[in-house]
Amino acid sequence: MLKRGEACTECRRRKLKCDGAKPGPCNQCAANNRECRYEQPPPFVPVSTVLQQRIEELEERLKNLTDSHPHVEINEEILLISDGNTPLVPPPEMAGPWWEMETLAAPVRNYLVGIFLANKHHCQFYIDVPRFLMSLANPGLQQPHPGLMEAIYLLACYFTSRLAPDQNLEKHEGHFLARARKALADSLSFSDRLLDFLKGSNLVTAYLYMRGRFLEAYHSHCGTASCALSCGLHSIRSGVYSEDPSGTASTPSLLPPPRDQAELSERILTFWPIYYWDKLGAIITGFVESFVADPASTECIETPFPRPIEEYHRGVAGRYDYDTVRRLLEEHPLDTNDTSDNYFHFGLHLKALTLLDSASRFGKLYSTRSDTVVKKRLASVQAVAMRFAQNLPPVPDPEVEEEMVDLDQTPFYHQGTNASLKFRDVFLAHTAAYAAIIEAYTCMSETDVHARQMCTFAARKAVELIPKYRFSDFGRSCMSPAYCWAAAVEVLGQHYKRVKEAIGQGSGADDNAQQGLVDTEGELRLLARATKQVHKYYCTLAFQAQQIDQVFIDIGLDVEDPVVGVC
């Protein structure tokens, strides 16, 4: 048996069984008339040496940046706003028509960037904040592209839409949306700072989804996703930088190879928010997805799930290179997700959405053609979703005061370690995982008692989570819980109807059945209230809210606070 790394390059790339014949060709290359070559393993370098070299490189880069750009005091000004605790006071430069300037005045720019950074988690935007702030002081083309900056200004205006009138910039959203679209079109036309194009275009997509402009959002996302695929962001095979381009990427790319670890991590953390809106859009609206999340496909995402920025900086993210979409959806024992204390909250959220999307897709396929292949894939998704939900880190107990968090009051600058973000994404991962179980079993629940029991179990587990999350935080999470809760209401509504009919026929008219009916009604009302709380922030979730109201009407329950119309 060959040891790791002894197979030829072609067999390793194609994942074929190689006999390792040297000097070659091996059995596979000889049979298929392919060029057979072997790579020399890189010389062993102690980890301590690599880390020391990296520290010296970073110290030198920091020294050069500090010496060449003395005006980096903008960092402190922006961070004071972005920490979430400093009162928002518009600078004097915003007294006039500040938005008409082609390049915003530095105080205005800093004010808007600070607001955006304090709320960037709402659009799943992950960047190296100090590096980004430092780049604002760079000359010319070394600055962030105007398309990215205009998108940041757009989101900053959106995030002020619920503030006091003297701080509300909502009326400028249309202006900055037009500016962002024009600048992003220029970026794409000239292939100018394509990573900034991807970030800015994805922010526009997020804005349009949050505003309920779904068709525009999908159109924007399709262009963003196409560019991300052309840039090879879906096929980055390792989170550790290598001077050999083939060591990190497996497909051709519009981008040159990354120059260092910082650029590599930037590409990974640019890709996954695009993937997030791809899956969320497919789940909520039913739009066709751009990224393939199917282990049976040769086009399946190869880029490992994201890790905290600090791990990329330390060069240790490579230990999780196995943690991919393919690995998640294949039936591997226990290592389906990292449940240690080192899990990354955003990664858990992404995995749960991936499972929910797969369950929804194969559940619908089963309803139309229940052939052997679909049955096998659906059974696999059912098993993985259940194991994933069981292995997730627990959601903190609200009875423990120090574990309670308030997303509206906690600063969000320290990404990857912030307790509020971990709390939110673990909660959302649990909710989406239970929704995935519901989706995977609903298609067979009419005729299969076990499937029906699994749906009811998952729906009730989703209900149990709601008291652990403050109602004031629901609107600060994202749109996905409303979809999950609507699915749970459908399941519990059917269960309520069955129990009620059994009691009416005299076959279940005991005290336990009556209490079960009361308990189920309480669960339904809790789900309805939670969904309508999120609806207050995202009016386009009116469909899910109205769907819940219709379930209440169908089973004979009074509708509380009925939702009428849409945005």
Side-chain angles (χ1 to χ4, degrees), residues 109-385:
R109 176 201 62 189
N110 297 347
Y111 178 73
L112 295 178
V113 170
I115 293 173
F116 170 78
L117 292 179
N119 295 275
K120 65 185 184 300
H121 54 282
H122 295 317
C123 42
Q124 309 298 335
F125 190 77
Y126 291 87
I127 56 170
D128 184 338
V129 175
R131 190 167 184 253
F132 170 73
L133 295 181
M134 193 74 73
S135 70
L136 295 179
N138 287 344
L141 296 179
Q142 297 179 34
Q143 290 185 356
H145 192 276
L148 172 57
M149 297 305 298
E150 299 293 351
I152 287 175
Y153 303 152
L154 166 65
L155 267 297
C157 293
Y158 168 76
F159 291 135
T160 65
S161 60
R162 297 184 183 277
L163 298 180
D166 62 326
Q167 301 170 342
N168 191 321
L169 304 175
E170 182 179 8
K171 64 182 180 182
H172 301 301
E173 289 177 21
H175 175 74
F176 283 109
L177 176 61
R179 285 175 52 152
R181 282 172 164 165
K182 181 179 184 304
L184 290 169
D186 291 342
S187 172
L188 190 59
S189 297
F190 297 101
S191 297
D192 181 12
R193 288 163 277 184
L194 287 179
L195 272 185
D196 284 353
F197 164 80
L198 290 170
K199 294 174 192 173
S201 186
N202 195 50
L203 287 178
V204 170
T205 297
Y207 165 79
L208 293 170
Y209 267 124
M210 290 189 291
R211 277 297 185 203
R213 298 161 66 170
F214 289 160
L215 287 177
E216 291 178 86
Y218 183 62
H219 181 269
S220 171
H221 169 72
C222 286
T224 309
S226 177
C227 184
L229 292 170
S230 299
C231 290
L233 300 191
H234 66 299
S235 59
I236 301 173
R237 296 185 295 192
S238 176
V240 177
Y241 170 72
S242 171
E243 292 185 357
D244 179 10
S246 64
T248 54
S250 60
T251 59
S253 170
L254 291 177
L255 297 172
R259 294 174 295 181
D260 53 28
Q261 182 67 46
E263 287 194 4
L264 176 65
S265 63
E266 182 182 15
R267 296 184 185 191
I268 294 174
L269 294 174
T270 296
F271 170 73
W272 284 109
I274 301 173
Y275 177 92
Y276 169 87
W277 288 105
D278 180 69
K279 294 305 170 191
L280 189 63
I283 290 167
I284 291 180
T285 66
F287 290 144
V288 178
E289 56 200 355
S290 299
F291 298 119
V292 177
D294 184 353
S297 172
T298 57
E299 300 178 355
C300 188
I301 305 299
E302 296 183 28
T303 304
F305 280 107
R307 299 296 305 170
I309 288 178
E310 296 80 4
E311 291 189 16
Y312 293 111
H313 287 178
R314 299 199 308 268
V316 298
R319 70 180 72 170
Y320 298 101
D321 284 349
Y322 70 88
D323 193 19
T324 62
V325 169
R326 189 186 303 276
R327 187 79 173 182
L328 170 71
L329 296 177
E330 291 175 346
E331 295 188 60
H332 288 278
L334 298 185
D335 63 358
T336 305
N337 60 296
D338 175 24
T339 56
S340 69
D341 291 337
N342 294 321
Y343 70 86
F344 185 37
H345 53 86
F346 183 42
L348 292 182
H349 193 174
L350 287 167
K351 292 176 184 180
L353 286 180
T354 300
L355 286 172
L356 177 53
D357 173 66
S358 295
S360 176
R361 183 155 38 89
F362 284 108
K364 291 173 183 174
L365 274 177
Y366 181 88
S367 300
T368 56
R369 58 178 188 92
S370 55
D371 55 43
T372 304
V373 174
V374 174
K375 287 182 179 179
K376 184 178 179 180
R377 292 294 300 121
L378 185 60
S380 176
V381 171
Q382 289 169 348
V384 173

Side-chain angles (χ1 to χ4, degrees), residues 368-438:
T368 56
R369 58 178 188 92
S370 55
D371 55 43
T372 304
V373 174
V374 174
K375 287 182 179 179
K376 184 178 179 180
R377 292 294 300 121
L378 185 60
S380 176
V381 171
Q382 289 169 348
V384 173
M386 178 60 71
R387 186 165 57 249
F388 179 84
Q390 292 171 340
N391 292 337
L392 279 170
V395 179
D397 190 338
E399 298 300 323
V400 182
E401 184 176 353
E402 59 269 22
E403 290 182 335
M404 285 296 288
V405 291
D406 190 337
L407 291 176
D408 290 334
Q409 300 297 326
T410 308
F412 290 90
Y413 170 66
H414 300 291
Q415 55 189 347
T417 59
N418 186 274
S420 292
L421 285 181
K422 286 184 178 180
F423 185 101
R424 181 199 68 171
D425 281 327
V426 171
F427 174 88
L428 294 175
H430 274 276
T431 303
Y434 291 128
I437 295 172
I438 292 173

